[in-house]
Amino acid sequence: GAVVSQHPSRVICKSGTSVKIECRSLDFQATTMFWYRQFPKKSLMLMATSNEGSKATYEQGVEKDKFLINHASLTLSTLTVTSAHPEDSSFYICSAGRGGGASYEQYFGPGTRLTVT
Amino acid sequence: GQSLEQPSEVTAVEGAIVQINCTYQTSGFYGLSWYQQHDGGAPTFLSYNALDGLEETGRFSSFLSRSDSYGYLLLQELQMKDSASYFCAVKNNQGGKLIFGQGTELSVKP
């Protein structure tokens, strides 16, 4: 099956610092990766679509300068939360796309729980 | 805009059958997916319907009616481990994005 990893699984940082989260597709190449955030007992909210070799496409209301996304290779996308604040504390989940057309599927990573103190 | 509606919570007993409905409004519809998520975990893929009809995978089945913009997930022979949140998600033609519903929290009682 398709495996997606995320690192770190948990991170605690101080307010004002930056945190980088990595998302890797381990056994397939992904031209597109997606970043979501999820608050407790809430749905997954799509933040941005990460395209290999080009700029990410952000959803409405998501600050590009705060959530920096880089997709430097076909197996790695990174999300950097810059100048983190307590309200950025959340569960961040990535997914990697595989296949094409109607058979295209997303495979999710295990998530990263960010706590900003 | 795009929106999905599903019940916020459902309770059932072990061994029972439960159906979780999902209605959607979206453009560029490709298909409807269902995901399971346990507390603190990542979503895991359950099923996908691109065409009308019923798809069966073991104890889980999923149905889609494109004309009614409606689908459901059917869970049979419920087990305690099925207690989780279940999300329907629409896949559209905008770069393969998934738009998730708010989730249904299923509680399975002994």
Side-chain angles (χ1 to χ4, degrees), chain B residues 30-107:
Chain B
Y30 258 167
L32 188 70
S33 298
W34 288 91
Y35 289 83
Q36 178 192 62
Q37 186 181 33
H38 286 97
D39 265 352
T44 54
F45 173 79
L46 291 178
S47 68
Y48 173 69
N49 295 68
L51 303 175
D52 285 358
L54 191 68
E55 294 280 343
E56 297 179 72
T57 309
R59 294 188 297 116
F60 294 178
S61 303
S62 59
F63 172 83
L64 175 67
S65 168
R66 295 174 69 117
S67 60
D68 295 323
S69 297
Y70 163 76
Y72 66 71
L73 178 70
L74 189 73
L75 299 87
Q76 303 181 74
E77 301 172 22
L78 281 175
Q79 302 175 9
M80 298 296 288
K81 67 178 182 179
D82 297 329
S83 293
S85 292
Y86 292 83
F87 294 90
C88 58
V90 164
K91 183 166 75 172
N92 64 22
N93 59 7
Q94 296 177 28
K97 289 197 304 188
L98 281 174
I99 306 299
F100 282 80
Q102 291 302 306
T104 299
E105 188 169 355
L106 171 64
S107 297

Side-chain angles (χ1 to χ4, degrees), chain A residues 9-21:
Chain A
S9 57
R10 291 178 178 271
V11 57
I12 300 172
C13 71
K14 292 186 176 180
S15 189
T17 61
S18 295
V19 173
K20 180 186 284 188
I21 302 170

Side-chain angles (χ1 to χ4, degrees), chain A residues 22-41:
Chain A
E22 293 186 348
C23 177
R24 294 181 186 273
S25 55
L26 298 184
D27 53 357
F28 66 101
Q29 293 182 328
T31 55
T32 306
M33 291 184 172
F34 302 87
W35 287 96
Y36 298 82
R37 69 184 294 183
Q38 185 179 34
F39 293 105
K41 302 294 185 184

Side-chain angles (χ1 to χ4, degrees), chain A residues 16 28-29 33 51 58-59 72 80 83 94 96 102 111:
Chain A
F28 66 101
Q29 293 182 328
M33 291 184 172
N51 303 297
Y58 289 81
E59 295 299 301
T80 301
S83 187
C94 73

